[in-house]
Amino acid sequence: MKRFFKPVEKEGSFKKPALSAPCASAPVDGGIAGAEGEGEAGGKPEQKDPLKFLTWNANSLLLRVKNNWPEFSRFVQSLDPDAICVQEVRMPAAGSKGAPKNPSELKDDSSSSREEKKVLLRALSSPPFRNYHVWWSLSDTKYGGTALFVKKQFQPKKVSFFLNRAASKHEPDGRVIIAEFESYLLLNTYVPNNGWKDDENSFQRRRKWDQRMLDFVLQLEKPLIWCGDLNVSHQEIDVSHPDFFSNAKLNGYTPPDARDRGQPGFTLAERDRFSKILSQGKLIDAYRFVHKEKDMERGFSWSGNPVGKYRGKRMRIDYFLVSEQLKDRIVACDLHGHGIEQEGFYGSDHCPVSLELSPETLEPNAS
């Protein structure tokens, strides 16, 4: 979620390289070592597609590497997800000033960017991350950006970076990574924040995005697992203080249309468009499918600054949405942070969210 309420930490010069993908389906390992194709041993049937997933808005992956990596690494080691989707990577794409950028590769054409790339690569070459292939979709600047980590035993059929998957380009600001597996599509998105005004970078941008998402889910040829920072709290149960968020204003400004009023992510207009995407796309909110009741301790994925008027104000804006065909395979969907002191957030203002599916079962042949 766009940071209106929490000061952004300064990123100074750091160290570390990144990964690059020479083509849409090629991961960038950046020299990361790890046993290729580490599969299940002992006679178990081979698992062909990922079943355990993690999504996290890191609010700067580099800052998390510098400040929170041991704790986050232990968490990932314990959870052992097959695929990890990250939003707000906030590392710039490769390419010198004024030249075309390569959103699949990390910038390394200056001493500071080379150092930052080095820091990141060192972290990703250590357990458990060295066991994953990595794909990037990056912005031109330290803004936005997404990453997809997939265990090396799994190989996507195709990886693309634009909602129109036939296109070879990336979405602006690196907002999308789509991995096609045998039995489903995995979509990782960092959805644009609605903002506070009806201009081209706020309400208008979000309306266009929501329409494109609706078009996307209506044209699917496979079941979908859609995750990430979706920047919307669907219902009142998904925010800690509904009245506070419904009446929120920036600098006293009130949008003329009542449906656009309130906290970005909790306006009636956004929530209604999200409902339409879910219903017409036949998508299930996996967390709400499992957890029916409001949970004031563990039921929110974003938490406001612990100092100031947003202290204790929380929203659930990070999701796993799955096609109806997959709902009976949902084993668990959990938010891994809790409390107004942001325990389990690992330095971000978002906590990780996980999903586990049961293996696909083959229907017996009808006689």
mmCIF file of all heavy atoms in Angstrom, residues 79 82 107 115 118 120 127 267 271 291 328:
data_model
loop_
_atom_site.group_PDB
_atom_site.id
_atom_site.type_symbol
_atom_site.label_atom_id
_atom_site.label_comp_id
_atom_site.label_asym_id
_atom_site.label_seq_id
_atom_site.Cartn_x
_atom_site.Cartn_y
_atom_site.Cartn_z
ATOM 1 N N LEU A 79 8.326 -22.103 7.018
ATOM 2 C CA LEU A 79 7.105 -22.263 6.220
ATOM 3 C C LEU A 79 7.355 -23.126 4.983
ATOM 4 O O LEU A 79 6.483 -23.880 4.555
ATOM 5 C CB LEU A 79 6.578 -20.893 5.802
ATOM 6 C CG LEU A 79 5.184 -20.879 5.186
ATOM 7 C CD1 LEU A 79 4.125 -21.189 6.246
ATOM 8 C CD2 LEU A 79 4.896 -19.533 4.538
ATOM 9 N N ASP A 82 6.633 -23.180 -1.780
ATOM 10 C CA ASP A 82 7.122 -23.551 -3.111
ATOM 11 C C ASP A 82 7.318 -22.318 -3.995
ATOM 12 O O ASP A 82 8.143 -22.339 -4.909
ATOM 13 C CB ASP A 82 6.134 -24.494 -3.794
ATOM 14 C CG ASP A 82 5.938 -25.782 -3.022
ATOM 15 O OD1 ASP A 82 6.914 -26.263 -2.403
ATOM 16 O OD2 ASP A 82 4.802 -26.307 -3.031
ATOM 17 N N LYS A 107 19.584 -2.868 -11.768
ATOM 18 C CA LYS A 107 20.518 -1.830 -12.195
ATOM 19 C C LYS A 107 21.894 -2.067 -11.576
ATOM 20 O O LYS A 107 22.011 -2.381 -10.391
ATOM 21 C CB LYS A 107 19.971 -0.471 -11.762
ATOM 22 C CG LYS A 107 20.784 0.739 -12.196
ATOM 23 C CD LYS A 107 20.087 2.016 -11.725
ATOM 24 C CE LYS A 107 20.884 3.260 -12.075
ATOM 25 N NZ LYS A 107 20.957 3.468 -13.533
ATOM 26 N N GLU A 115 26.838 -1.919 -5.708
ATOM 27 C CA GLU A 115 26.916 -2.310 -4.302
ATOM 28 C C GLU A 115 25.574 -2.831 -3.801
ATOM 29 O O GLU A 115 25.500 -3.844 -3.096
ATOM 30 C CB GLU A 115 27.366 -1.121 -3.449
ATOM 31 C CG GLU A 115 28.831 -0.786 -3.579
ATOM 32 C CD GLU A 115 29.710 -1.937 -3.107
ATOM 33 O OE1 GLU A 115 29.734 -2.206 -1.898
ATOM 34 O OE2 GLU A 115 30.348 -2.582 -3.960
ATOM 35 N N LYS A 118 24.916 -6.215 -5.127
ATOM 36 C CA LYS A 118 25.755 -7.193 -4.445
ATOM 37 C C LYS A 118 25.154 -7.609 -3.101
ATOM 38 O O LYS A 118 25.121 -8.782 -2.738
ATOM 39 C CB LYS A 118 27.146 -6.603 -4.231
ATOM 40 C CG LYS A 118 28.265 -7.569 -4.454
ATOM 41 C CD LYS A 118 29.540 -6.832 -4.781
ATOM 42 C CE LYS A 118 30.245 -6.438 -3.494
ATOM 43 N NZ LYS A 118 31.512 -5.735 -3.776
ATOM 44 N N LEU A 120 22.006 -7.558 -2.221
ATOM 45 C CA LEU A 120 20.808 -8.366 -2.449
ATOM 46 C C LEU A 120 21.171 -9.774 -2.901
ATOM 47 O O LEU A 120 20.616 -10.765 -2.419
ATOM 48 C CB LEU A 120 19.921 -7.669 -3.489
ATOM 49 C CG LEU A 120 18.514 -8.218 -3.677
ATOM 50 C CD1 LEU A 120 17.763 -8.274 -2.364
ATOM 51 C CD2 LEU A 120 17.764 -7.379 -4.687
ATOM 52 N N PRO A 127 20.779 -19.887 2.245
ATOM 53 C CA PRO A 127 19.536 -20.626 2.505
ATOM 54 C C PRO A 127 18.498 -19.714 3.139
ATOM 55 O O PRO A 127 18.866 -18.823 3.900
ATOM 56 C CB PRO A 127 19.976 -21.722 3.492
ATOM 57 C CG PRO A 127 21.473 -21.778 3.390
ATOM 58 C CD PRO A 127 21.923 -20.421 2.989
ATOM 59 N N THR A 267 -12.791 2.856 -0.218
ATOM 60 C CA THR A 267 -13.906 3.623 -0.771
ATOM 61 C C THR A 267 -14.944 2.654 -1.343
ATOM 62 O O THR A 267 -14.618 1.530 -1.752
ATOM 63 C CB THR A 267 -13.428 4.572 -1.878
ATOM 64 O OG1 THR A 267 -12.943 3.801 -2.997
ATOM 65 C CG2 THR A 267 -12.311 5.495 -1.384
ATOM 66 N N ARG A 271 -14.399 -0.920 -3.583
ATOM 67 C CA ARG A 271 -14.916 -2.171 -3.049
ATOM 68 C C ARG A 271 -15.963 -2.780 -3.982
ATOM 69 O O ARG A 271 -16.015 -4.007 -4.162
ATOM 70 C CB ARG A 271 -15.492 -1.930 -1.659
ATOM 71 C CG ARG A 271 -14.420 -1.549 -0.641
ATOM 72 C CD ARG A 271 -14.987 -0.847 0.577
ATOM 73 N NE ARG A 271 -15.955 -1.682 1.273
ATOM 74 C CZ ARG A 271 -16.792 -1.233 2.193
ATOM 75 N NH1 ARG A 271 -16.792 0.062 2.521
ATOM 76 N NH2 ARG A 271 -17.638 -2.051 2.775
ATOM 77 N N HIS A 291 -11.391 -18.241 7.185
ATOM 78 C CA HIS A 291 -11.595 -17.488 8.428
ATOM 79 C C HIS A 291 -12.834 -16.611 8.269
ATOM 80 O O HIS A 291 -12.775 -15.543 7.653
ATOM 81 C CB HIS A 291 -10.366 -16.623 8.721
ATOM 82 C CG HIS A 291 -9.081 -17.389 8.782
ATOM 83 N ND1 HIS A 291 -8.634 -18.007 9.929
ATOM 84 C CD2 HIS A 291 -8.157 -17.658 7.820
ATOM 85 C CE1 HIS A 291 -7.483 -18.606 9.687
ATOM 86 N NE2 HIS A 291 -7.171 -18.407 8.410
ATOM 87 N N ASP A 328 -11.997 -26.167 -3.180
ATOM 88 C CA ASP A 328 -12.031 -27.372 -2.348
ATOM 89 C C ASP A 328 -10.641 -27.918 -2.070
ATOM 90 O O ASP A 328 -10.486 -28.860 -1.280
ATOM 91 C CB ASP A 328 -12.889 -28.446 -3.017
ATOM 92 C CG ASP A 328 -14.365 -28.062 -3.050
ATOM 93 O OD1 ASP A 328 -14.783 -27.288 -2.161
ATOM 94 O OD2 ASP A 328 -15.085 -28.509 -3.957
#
